[in-house]
Amino acid sequence: MKKTIFSFVLFISSLILAGTPKFPKNIIIMIGDGMGVSQVSVSVLTNPNSSFKRFPVTGFSITCSADKLKTDSAAGGTALACGESTNNGSLGVDKSGKPIQSILDLAKQKKLSTGIVVTSEIINATPAAFLGHTTNRHESELLAQQFTESETDIVIGGGKKYFVPDSLGGKRTDNQNLLAKLVRSGYEIISSYEELVKSNAQKYYALLEPSDLKAANQRSYSLSELTQKALAGLSKNENGFVMMIEGSQIDHGGHENLPDVLISEMNDFEKAVKTALEFAEADKNTLVLVTADHETGGAAITGGKLDGGNMKIDFASKSHTAAMVGVFAFGPSCEMFSGVNENYKIGRKLLMLLNAQHFSNSGE
Ligand SMILES: [Zn+2]
């Protein structure tokens, strides 16, 4: 503990000595699941105005987990969410299985607003790394329960079935109705995009499908629109907010070796990145950090036209690979994320920035 406090003080001192002007009030973490450098290249080569070109600071992340060269999304998400390298399959726990604090847990402790916006089931590995604590990523009922205990303000995604007992058409075997419990705690439960648009609730779960959201090319609404809605709510807290947004199904394009899925999911994610950047550019007090948990599919662009038409994508694998992924940062203290980072060090820097923001504010 003493060592942690010492390294934190050292970290703050080094930032002050380096003349860093300020720490971010808000942090937006954006994760493209399975989004390697080739996946980002698809966005950049097919779209001359791709948001990925707008980041002043870029780097790489080494994605290995504590026990495997090829990480899964559980360990990859935990590294980013909690700043710790853990074993594949583990969520929000260290490699000995001990629960650890995520950046969303810390943000709540500091009275910031928190949010999660994903296109998968919300208890899927990446979002669950931010709110769950278990060595087994497949404990869906437990993870749903841990979500409801987290006091997260805004949650948007799929996976409604894990919150409803099987007697009411859900998948819970313990007969608990977590949606009713959420309502009793002051949350609004939203079941469709149309309801979400109309809602003025400050705290809500928008569970738009029983399982994953539809694929980007089959949905009538975009990840960007979901992001916009969440930002409007979370930015009302004058203490600031931390949110995680995931393009969850880029990973599916890689696993299934489907170029069309990869391209449409990247388009959907890129538009959400644009929305976050526009918010941060106007706000001037928001750090946007975009990266991936790992690469999926060993994707390579092997042909196509110079203008990005007829893009040909080949795959070397149907699973995750150990290739490094890109890191893109914009906003206060973004320069900390340049270079080659181990994935958990990115998470650790995010936690330190949130601590530093609180530290500098309380010192004023
Ligand atoms: Zn995957």
Side-chain angles (χ1 to χ4, degrees):
M1 187 62 191
K2 262 186 190 157
K3 204 175 145 207
T4 313
I5 292 168
F6 178 70
S7 59
F8 175 62
V9 170
L10 210 65
F11 165 76
I12 298 290
S13 314
S14 66
L15 286 183
I16 290 167
L17 283 173
T20 305
K22 62 175 182 178
F23 306 112
K25 176 180 163 195
N26 312 309
I27 297 177
I28 303 176
I29 304 158
M30 304 192 72
I31 300 175
D33 198 311
M35 185 183 72
V37 174
S38 287
Q39 284 81 348
V40 176
S41 304
V42 166
S43 170
V44 170
L45 296 174
T46 55
N47 177 5
N49 301 315
S50 173
S51 315
F52 287 99
K53 292 182 178 174
R54 287 164 60 181
F55 287 88
V57 168
T58 53
F60 286 101
S61 169
I62 300 169
T63 62
C64 306
S65 66
D67 66 338
K68 294 278 187 308
L69 181 77
K70 293 194 294 178
T71 189
D72 70 343
S73 291
T78 300
L80 297 168
C82 307
E84 285 286 335
S85 187
T86 194
N87 299 330
N88 279 13
S90 287
L91 293 165
V93 294
D94 67 14
K95 52 190 178 198
S96 71
K98 196 171 99 222
I100 46 178
Q101 190 178 47
S102 79
I103 190 163
L104 292 192
D105 296 331
L106 179 65
K108 255 301 136 211
Q109 195 182 310
K110 293 186 177 301
K111 308 212 179 314
L112 275 70
S113 288
T114 56
I116 282 204
V117 182
V118 298
T119 60
S120 62
E121 295 174 343
I122 57 167
I123 50 89
N124 208 328
T126 310
F130 284 78
L131 293 177
H133 302 279
T134 170
T135 52
N136 177 6
R137 62 179 284 181
H138 300 296
E139 285 181 301
S140 307
E141 290 186 41
L142 171 71
L143 289 167
Q145 179 143 6
Q146 290 178 341
F147 264 64
T148 60
E149 289 159 3
S150 70
E151 296 179 23
T152 307
D153 300 276
I154 291 177
V155 178
I156 306 177
K160 191 175 188 175
K161 63 188 179 189
Y162 301 110
F163 292 77
V164 180
D166 47 11
S167 57
L168 294 175
K171 283 270 176 193
R172 291 200 72 83
T173 54
D174 62 1
N175 217 28
Q176 278 200 85
N177 186 342
L178 296 183
L179 297 185
K181 194 174 152 194
L182 282 167
V183 169
R184 286 197 295 276
S185 308
Y187 284 85
E188 188 169 296
I189 305 300
I190 295 168
S191 302
S192 70
Y193 178 67
E194 292 67 31
E195 279 179 42
L196 176 63
V197 170
K198 286 184 206 141
S199 171
N200 288 318
Q202 285 301 296
K203 284 169 53 173
Y204 60 84
Y205 271 61
L207 298 174
L208 308 178
E209 297 287 345
S211 301
D212 289 342
L213 299 193
K214 291 194 173 77
N217 57 10
Q218 289 163 26
R219 242 188 281 127
S220 58
Y221 53 88
S222 65
L223 180 60
S224 166
E225 287 165 317
L226 301 180
T227 299
Q228 186 90 54
K229 180 72 184 178
L231 278 171
L234 294 171
S235 59
K236 287 182 182 147
N237 185 340
E238 58 185 32
N239 293 330
F241 67 85
V242 177
M243 75 184 298
M244 193 285 281
I245 302 159
E246 185 192 33
S248 317
Q249 300 190 32
I250 300 164
D251 187 55
H252 298 186
H255 280 297
E256 293 157 27
N257 290 180
L258 292 173
D260 289 353
V261 173
L262 191 158
I263 292 169
S264 60
E265 294 296 333
M266 276 307 299
N267 277 339
D268 190 47
F269 186 63
E270 185 274 335
K271 289 192 183 80
V273 171
K274 181 164 180 264
T275 297
L277 273 182
E278 283 171 357
F279 175 88
E281 280 164 356
D283 176 71
K284 300 193 191 330
N285 219 348
T286 301
L287 173 71
V288 181
L289 190 283
V290 184
T291 189
D293 47 357
H294 52 75
E295 196 276 343
T296 306
I301 300 166
T302 52
K305 294 184 180 165
L306 184 58
D307 67 0
N310 290 346
M311 182 84 42
K312 184 169 178 328
I313 301 169
D314 286 315
F315 296 90
S317 166
K318 289 219 163 191
S319 69
H320 301 172
T321 72
M324 290 197 293
V325 297
V327 177
F328 305 83
F330 175 95
S333 299
C334 65
E335 60 283 350
M336 286 173 60
F337 297 92
S338 70
V340 177
N341 292 272
E342 263 119 357
N343 55 4
Y344 69 93
K345 288 191 180 159
I346 296 173
R348 209 164 275 185
K349 287 176 186 177
L350 291 168
L351 284 160
M352 281 180 165
L353 279 176
L354 185 56
N355 267 317
Q357 187 257 342
H358 182 78
F359 180 83
S360 63
N361 279 355
S362 57
E364 277 168 8

